[in-house]
Amino acid sequence: MNVKGAATRLQTSRKAATLLLACTLLCSTTASLFAQTAVTATPLLPGAPPAGDGTTSATPATGVGAATNAGQAAPAAAPAPQQLWRPSNNPGDPIYEQQDDAGQPYAEAENPYEPTVDGGENPQIAAEPGQPPGIRIGTFLLRPAISQTINTEKQTNTGGPSRRNYLTTGIRGTLTSDWSRHALTVTGDGAWERNFGGDKDGEEPRARIEADLRLDLGEETKANLKAGYEFSREDTTDPNALTGAAVQGGEHRFTTGASIERDFGKLRGLAALDLSRTVYTDAKGLDGRPISLSDRDQNGANLRGRIGYELSPALIPFLELNAGKTKYDSRLDNSGYARSSNSYGAKIGTEVDLGEKTRGEAAIGYLRKQYDDDRLAAIGALTLDGELNWSPQRGTNVNLGLRTTIEDFAGGPQGGWISYRLDAGLTHELRNNLVARLTGQIVHRTFPSSDTENAVEYTAGAGLTWGLNRYLDLTADVSYQWTPVYDSNEFRVGAGLVLKR
């Protein structure tokens, strides 16, 4: 019979049907997993637009659903896939980085400068890196410093060599206003010398203070008011120094002035008036007796005007005229001469402004001084004046200055002499806390109204400043001065500490 064969075929058919159904379910499940990975679990770029129906994922079809919808029409084409911010596994695909809100620009600064008391903002006086913050006094900022140095000095002149060791206590400071309009700046410095052993010979105290008030009167108009005081002792190489004095006389000089500047389109105008008062203290003779110098006390006034034309913002030629008056307290000095005088001068030059790198001016002119006493010959001089501030690179500054003046003799039949003075300075940051300095000076004196030999004085110096921290500096300086015509030279070395605030 064929019953056994039929049963065998029926069992085989059931196994084949079961295997076919399992394969169908397995394939549908695998396809569903791949669909979920490619569509549902895919993040979008931040800010990317959603799909066309407003959703960001699609529901995958199951195996049963696929079989049920097999006979239906194919759905519309899906929208283009969105860009991913994670790197793709396919070579050549673009790589996108996630955007970070912290890197986006802000509409305004998070930490702006605090306004001043009168509503302005003046960030220029903020402390520079490595500099002390200063002391806030209302609407002013004070930056004081005090120094203490130990020095040695050796002099050689016609009287023979001499040497002294001494301490120098110095103080300096700057007071700056923090106003929205106008500006006041006060600067000052002073030094007091004390010899070891109690001998006061050679001590040279000095002091200086200056105040400058700038008034912004308008967009094109600016005025300046200034005042100052200075004290110094006459140098032994000065033509007016007393040869028979143990201590030279001191000079108190008081100054004040006002100026106004205005722009008239391409034209620049300036008018200024300067006043001064000079008082001399007694010198001390070799026997200790005082030597009066009161016959040299004087008042001075100088009026000057300048007109310039702006060829370009960097180049402004100008013409300057000036007139001055010197009036001595005593009509006649101790030698019987009337030394009061009038002076007149003119010069032409140019201002140069190439930005922060180069600024300055240079001028050439003529100056004449006429004395009240006809026995004193008038003096005329070719004048050379100028200044230059140059910064060839960050941390390096070069300063040059040139000035011509006519000075009065303290007595005798000579009226005065012509002085040409050249100053030079170089500072360079060797490191962020180490600054090197070089200085130089040449003073040339000519005596047109006497037989005195012309004199040239040379001075050179070098120094280092090491910033131990923002409040304390260590300094070292050396200088040499030489005047060949007087066979005089002076050598100084010093080192000390500077405390800043």
Side-chain angles (χ1 to χ4, degrees), residues 231 233 248-252 279-283 291-294 297:
F231 173 80
R233 198 174 295 281
Q248 297 294 327
E251 178 181 324
H252 297 273
V279 178
Y280 290 86
T281 64
D282 295 344
I291 302 175
S292 176
L293 303 177
S294 61
D297 296 349

Side-chain angles (χ1 to χ4, degrees), residues 54-394:
T55 64
T56 58
S57 63
T59 303
T62 62
V64 177
T68 304
N69 299 327
Q72 298 179 0
Q82 304 294 333
Q83 295 286 1
L84 307 180
W85 63 265
R86 290 182 178 175
S88 170
N89 291 328
N90 299 324
D93 288 352
I95 297 177
Y96 298 92
E97 294 184 357
Q98 185 177 12
Q99 296 182 358
D100 187 359
D101 292 341
Q104 301 300 317
Y106 288 89
E108 57 185 29
E110 284 189 329
N111 187 26
Y113 290 104
E114 289 294 331
T116 59
V117 172
D118 56 355
E121 183 177 290
N122 187 10
Q124 285 79 5
I125 66 171
E128 298 179 359
Q131 295 297 320
I135 302 172
R136 176 70 63 174
I137 306 175
T139 59
F140 294 89
L141 186 66
L142 175 64
R143 298 185 187 276
I146 185 170
S147 63
Q148 183 66 64
T149 61
I150 182 171
N151 311 271
T152 183
E153 174 187 282
K154 182 179 180 181
Q155 290 186 351
T156 303
N157 49 43
T158 55
S162 63
R163 184 167 186 169
R164 68 183 182 111
N165 301 314
Y166 59 98
L167 292 174
T168 300
T169 302
I171 184 172
R172 69 174 184 271
T174 301
L175 182 67
T176 308
S177 66
D178 188 10
W179 304 337
S180 61
R181 188 182 180 191
H182 315 307
L184 175 63
T185 303
V186 182
T187 59
D189 62 80
W192 179 38
E193 297 181 356
R194 291 166 295 167
N195 293 338
F196 293 143
D199 185 9
K200 296 185 178 296
D201 291 347
E203 292 182 347
E204 297 180 359
R206 56 191 179 275
R208 180 189 62 87
I209 184 170
E210 295 179 350
D212 188 349
L213 174 62
R214 189 196 73 221
L215 301 175
D216 301 320
L217 304 181
E219 185 176 354
E220 305 294 337
T221 306
K222 179 179 67 175
N224 280 80
L225 302 176
K226 61 181 181 179
Y229 165 77
E230 182 177 1
F231 173 80
S232 62
R233 198 174 295 281
E234 273 189 330
D235 194 276
T236 55
T237 59
D238 190 281
N240 285 328
L242 300 178
T243 56
V247 178
Q248 297 294 327
E251 178 181 324
H252 297 273
R253 183 175 177 82
F254 305 86
T255 59
T256 186
S259 65
I260 185 169
E261 299 179 55
R262 182 173 175 82
D263 296 345
F264 303 90
K266 293 287 187 179
L267 294 178
R268 306 286 181 87
L270 178 144
L273 174 65
D274 297 313
L275 304 175
S276 65
R277 167 70 177 170
T278 306
V279 178
Y280 290 86
T281 64
D282 295 344
K284 187 175 77 172
L286 297 176
D287 56 358
R289 298 172 59 183
I291 302 175
S292 176
L293 303 177
S294 61
D295 64 318
R296 297 173 58 186
D297 296 349
Q298 59 187 268
N299 297 312
N302 188 72
L303 179 65
R304 60 189 177 95
R306 173 184 291 194
I307 187 72
Y309 183 79
E310 181 182 325
L311 295 179
S312 72
L315 191 63
I316 304 176
F318 64 85
L319 169 66
E320 181 173 308
L321 303 175
N322 66 81
K325 174 73 175 180
T326 301
K327 183 70 174 180
Y328 283 82
D329 292 356
S330 301
R331 192 180 70 85
L332 300 178
D333 61 16
N334 292 336
S335 58
Y337 289 88
R339 296 193 177 274
S340 296
S341 60
N342 299 307
S343 61
Y344 310 93
K347 58 184 177 181
I348 58 173
T350 184
E351 299 178 24
V352 178
D353 188 351
L354 302 180
E356 297 181 355
K357 290 292 184 180
T358 306
R359 290 180 179 177
E361 69 176 51
I364 184 172
Y366 182 79
L367 179 64
R368 180 178 176 83
K369 195 167 194 177
Q370 181 72 48
Y371 293 95
D372 290 353
D373 198 318
D374 295 337
R375 294 173 296 173
L376 301 177
I379 300 176
L382 175 70
T383 61
L384 301 172
D385 301 282
E387 61 178 349
L388 174 66
N389 299 313
W390 176 43
S391 179
Q393 64 182 24
R394 185 177 181 85

